[in-house]
Amino acid sequence: MARTRTIRVDSLARVEGEGALTLEVRGDELVDARLEIFEPPRFFEALLRGRSYEEAPDITARICGICPVAYQMSAVHAVEDAFGVEVPPEIGGLRRLLYCGEWIESHALHVFLLHAPDFLEFDDAIAMAKKHGDVVRRGLRLKKIGNRILQVLGGREVHPINVRVGGFHRAPTRGEMATLEDDLAWAVDAARDTVEWAASLPFPELERDEELVALRPEREYPFCSGPIASDRGLSIESASFLDEFVEDQVAHSTALVARRRSGGTYLVGPMARFALNADHLSPGARAAAAAVGLSPDERNPFRSIVIRAVEILHACEEALGRVRSYEPPAVASAPVTPRESVGHACTEAPRGILYHRYRFAADGTIEEARIVPPTSQNQHAIERDLFAFASTRLDVPEDELRRGCEQTIRNYDPCISCATHFLDLRVNRS
Amino acid sequence: MTPRTNTLVLGLGSVERADDGVGPALVARLTAAGLRDADLIAGPRDAAWILDAWSGRPRVLVLDAVRSDRPVGRVMRVDPSEGPFVDAAGASTHGLGLASAIELGRALGDLPERLVLVGIEGGCFELGAEMSPPVRDALPEAADRARRIVEEWTADERREVARA
């Protein structure tokens, strides 16, 4: 008779969301790694139907407390795509600055408070703070500076309210923008130190081979524009997203799981962005990455913490440049005229590309909404990482295996659900 | 915000999540009642934000929904010395909330001199749901306790100033 042992872990506070992981082991062989997640965007897709296009950015921002800007940006770009709105470049620049704020706050939270404790073998950031108070303080201050950008541009530190289709309700004054300058100058130095510090962490061995998918604009590190590209030759506009990527129901999860229509799995997020766009990083970020030996060929998912640090540095440098050269735009938003249409957009959320598609009636009422978040796109990759990681470590004590699996999941900073935090790990040995 | 007083009243939570809206609802109530000698703000339950908000404030009163084993609607006072605390699952929009803020503050030596939480036991934290009736009914009692704590702190401060 098969002997089955189940190990349950009842709390994992450092994964944003709710999930359960099951490892199926037969004899000495790992046969399956299944990650079960629950995610909220589906609820929002239904909620959006019948609402005005003007509400899309504010409603979708509520999906996530950590990356509301990503939801707002994908929403406004999709609406503008549908209605043929031309947004002036200076508004595009302000949007990039807002996105810099979100990357800084989201990445700083993840790098310093959620992921670093794994590498340094602390149970959590609180235990880490007792030994490495200066590092935790640096992370908190960086995060705060990201949130300050959201406040100045978005009107609030969380869930910005100043974003609208066509631009902003109101553009900041030069004086308001200048309040960010000293903080950002400090942040650039702190972020540079962070790259060096992150690169010095001990990294478990793991080499993965997924198709890497990210936006790849011609001249800049990606935030809001550019074709969707991959390291295997994909290059499509956002409008073709659903031709190339599909989401499936899987038996073990309430979430939809994305894959390439051709059948393969793929990966989005910092490693994909860096692999495809390293040449577009700010000069300081490029130099810092080179100094720690980080190359676009990096494929160890555990080293994504270093890439996040490089992206924090990029966002701080770009933000500082934009703040210093800021001139208020002539108008805060472009005119918008609704029409019967369909619009699509992908933008780079901190965790990877976030796809929105809307179908509108002639008066701008949303008839249909589709949202594909990065976490559902990365789920296969996370499971494959877990499989690769755990299959060579089945002989280690189960506590250690559990910690390693948790750390593997946290490589992706999965935003599984904004409702609860919970991972249930089951190792079924038979 | 620029501090006006030494006392900060911090209402935490999300009004979109039923009983999670306790903190903002209490701040609105106390503001409407004209609570004096304290700055009142409502904000997210985000550890970094909270640590920054109370930085430099000697006295902080936090108003928030609580999850323990008590009946829904029970008003309670919690002191940080009763910790360590753990963030409740399901009541937060964030990986690190108030409990983490308190414990991080403790670890970093950045806790306010006086820190008290007045909370109401919540039952429902679902997105889009209404605040549950026992929680709504408990708002006046919780607001009253909050007001008395601030008044007590203000009286203490006046005595200290008079002695000095």
Side-chain angles (χ1 to χ4, degrees):
Chain A
M1 201 176 103
R3 192 171 60 88
T4 299
R5 191 144 52 114
T6 302
I7 297 174
R8 299 179 69 92
V9 182
D10 282 340
S11 173
L12 178 69
R14 284 177 287 135
V15 166
E16 181 70 13
E18 179 173 0
L21 169 66
T22 306
L23 301 178
E24 294 289 346
V25 183
R26 273 194 214 124
D28 295 334
E29 196 187 350
L30 180 64
V31 292
D32 200 11
R34 291 191 309 272
L35 183 64
E36 181 182 346
I37 60 178
F38 313 94
E39 51 162 347
R42 312 302 153 192
F43 166 78
F44 280 84
E45 288 175 341
L47 189 76
L48 284 159
R49 263 180 248 136
R51 309 299 283 261
S52 162
Y53 74 91
E54 292 172 299
E55 296 179 273
D58 289 330
I59 292 174
T60 56
R62 290 283 162 184
I63 293 173
C64 180
I66 298 178
C67 54
V69 170
Y71 281 95
Q72 291 188 323
M73 289 298 111
S74 285
V76 295
H77 282 89
V79 178
E80 289 157 7
D81 175 55
F83 300 163
V85 178
E86 292 290 332
V87 175
E90 53 272 34
I91 290 173
L94 281 177
R95 286 177 169 173
R96 284 187 68 87
L97 178 57
L98 185 65
Y99 234 138
C100 285
E102 177 154 292
W103 278 23
I104 295 168
E105 61 92 9
S106 174
H107 279 359
L109 172 75
H110 186 70
V111 166
F112 289 95
L113 300 180
L114 305 181
H115 211 192
D118 284 332
F119 293 92
L120 297 169
E121 296 186 1
F122 291 105
D123 283 341
D124 54 28
I126 293 151
M128 188 176 129
K130 290 173 188 162
K131 285 271 169 61
H132 301 277
D134 50 341
V135 175
V136 170
R137 278 202 183 84
R138 188 205 296 161
L140 286 168
R141 186 164 172 203
L142 276 168
K143 181 179 186 305
K144 168 75 189 165
I145 290 168
N147 284 104
R148 280 269 300 131
I149 297 176
L150 264 60
Q151 186 182 34
V152 168
L153 258 81
R156 284 207 300 218
E157 293 197 18
V158 181
H159 295 309
I161 46 171
N162 190 29
V163 170
R164 64 182 293 179
V165 178
F168 292 85
H169 289 285
R170 174 185 163 276
T173 63
R174 264 208 62 74
E176 287 165 340
M177 204 64 112
T179 63
L180 296 169
E181 192 173 334
D182 290 350
D183 273 346
L184 280 168
W186 174 88
V188 167
D189 290 338
R192 200 177 295 116
D193 293 344
T194 301
V195 174
E196 205 174 302
W197 166 80
S200 74
L201 296 168
F203 299 101
E205 292 283 324
L206 189 64
E207 201 67 19
R208 297 282 296 109
D209 181 30
E210 292 286 340
E211 180 168 9
L212 302 173
V213 176
L215 297 183
R216 196 183 192 294
E218 262 181 47
R219 278 185 285 275
E220 54 195 15
Y221 205 71
F223 279 115
C224 299
S225 65
I228 301 167
S230 85
D231 64 336
R232 313 218 172 144
L234 176 77
S235 183
I236 56 162
E237 294 305 317
S238 294
S240 304
F241 181 90
L242 295 174
D243 299 334
E244 292 290 338
F245 304 98
V246 288
E247 290 185 294
D248 301 319
Q249 294 279 0
V250 289
H252 64 268
S253 180
T254 55
L256 295 170
V257 179
R259 62 171 169 82
R260 292 296 307 274
R261 194 171 283 280
S262 53
T265 61
Y266 67 104
L267 172 64
V268 301
M271 186 177 285
R273 276 196 295 262
F274 178 69
L276 271 63
N277 297 280
D279 51 339
H280 290 147
L281 283 167
S282 62
R286 219 166 35 229
V292 298
L294 189 67
S295 101
D297 299 327
E298 181 60 59
R299 296 294 180 270
N300 179 346
F302 291 99
R303 284 175 64 92
S304 61
I305 190 171
V306 189
I307 300 176
R308 277 193 187 84
V310 168
E311 289 195 333
I312 293 175
L313 177 53
H314 171 90
C316 291
E317 287 197 312
E318 176 166 341
L320 181 61
R322 290 189 179 279
V323 163
R324 282 185 172 152
S325 64
Y326 179 65
E327 290 294 339
V331 288
S333 71
V336 179
T337 310
R339 64 186 185 196
E340 192 176 340
S341 53
V342 173
H344 318 250
C346 259
T347 69
E348 284 284 358
R351 292 153 191 79
I353 54 171
L354 166 63
Y355 171 75
H356 282 213
R357 174 188 182 275
Y358 299 95
R359 185 160 54 82
F360 296 103
D363 66 351
T365 300
I366 299 168
E367 292 183 328
E368 193 188 338
R370 181 78 184 273
I371 296 171
V372 183
T375 295
S376 92
Q377 300 180 72
N378 277 340
Q379 182 169 347
H380 274 311
I382 299 174
E383 287 179 331
R384 285 157 61 100
D385 278 13
L386 285 163
F387 190 91
F389 178 82
S391 60
T392 58
R393 291 170 173 87
L394 291 174
D395 52 343
V396 306
E398 260 155 13
D399 246 19
E400 200 181 310
L401 179 63
R402 189 201 70 228
R403 282 181 77 116
C405 288
E406 292 174 358
Q407 186 175 0
T408 305
I409 294 170
R410 278 192 282 268
N411 286 333
Y412 293 88
D413 190 10
C415 191
I416 290 166
S417 150
C418 292
T420 53
H421 335 278
F422 189 82
L423 175 74
D424 206 2
L425 171 65
R426 300 182 198 95
V427 182
N428 293 331
R429 292 179 191 270
S430 59
Chain B
M1 72 185 290
T2 314
R4 281 187 312 113
T5 69
N6 287 325
T7 300
L8 178 68
V9 178
L10 210 50
L12 303 178
S14 164
V15 293
E16 279 90 7
R17 287 182 187 271
D19 298 347
D20 199 34
V22 158
L26 287 171
V27 162
R29 227 164 225 280
L30 292 166
T31 306
L35 181 74
R36 292 165 57 189
D37 303 313
D39 294 313
L40 292 101
I41 45 174
R45 195 183 293 100
D46 169 294
W49 186 86
I50 295 166
L51 284 167
D52 185 67
W54 74 33
S55 156
R57 300 279 193 150
R59 294 185 295 272
V60 176
L61 173 61
V62 177
L63 309 170
D64 201 358
V66 174
R67 280 187 135 184
S68 61
D69 296 329
R70 298 174 181 88
V72 174
R74 174 73 60 84
V75 178
M76 66 199 87
R77 172 184 167 136
V78 183
D79 288 283
S81 55
E82 293 169 39
F85 302 105
V86 177
D87 286 318
S92 170
T93 56
H94 206 288
L96 296 172
L98 173 64
S100 295
I102 293 172
E103 297 311 327
L104 271 172
R106 209 195 301 273
L108 295 169
D110 288 340
L111 278 189
E113 284 163 41
R114 295 173 94 168
L115 174 65
V116 169
L117 166 73
V118 169
I120 302 178
E121 179 81 14
C124 170
F125 296 90
E126 259 174 57
L127 194 64
E130 294 283 313
M131 193 176 273
S132 43
V135 172
R136 205 174 47 233
D137 294 346
L139 289 173
E141 184 194 338
D144 192 53
R145 283 180 76 163
R147 182 184 52 77
R148 279 187 280 130
I149 289 168
V150 171
E151 285 171 359
E152 195 184 301
W153 284 351
T154 306
D156 287 351
E157 186 178 30
R158 294 210 172 108
R159 272 194 293 273
E160 281 161 26
V161 170
R163 262 204 301 274

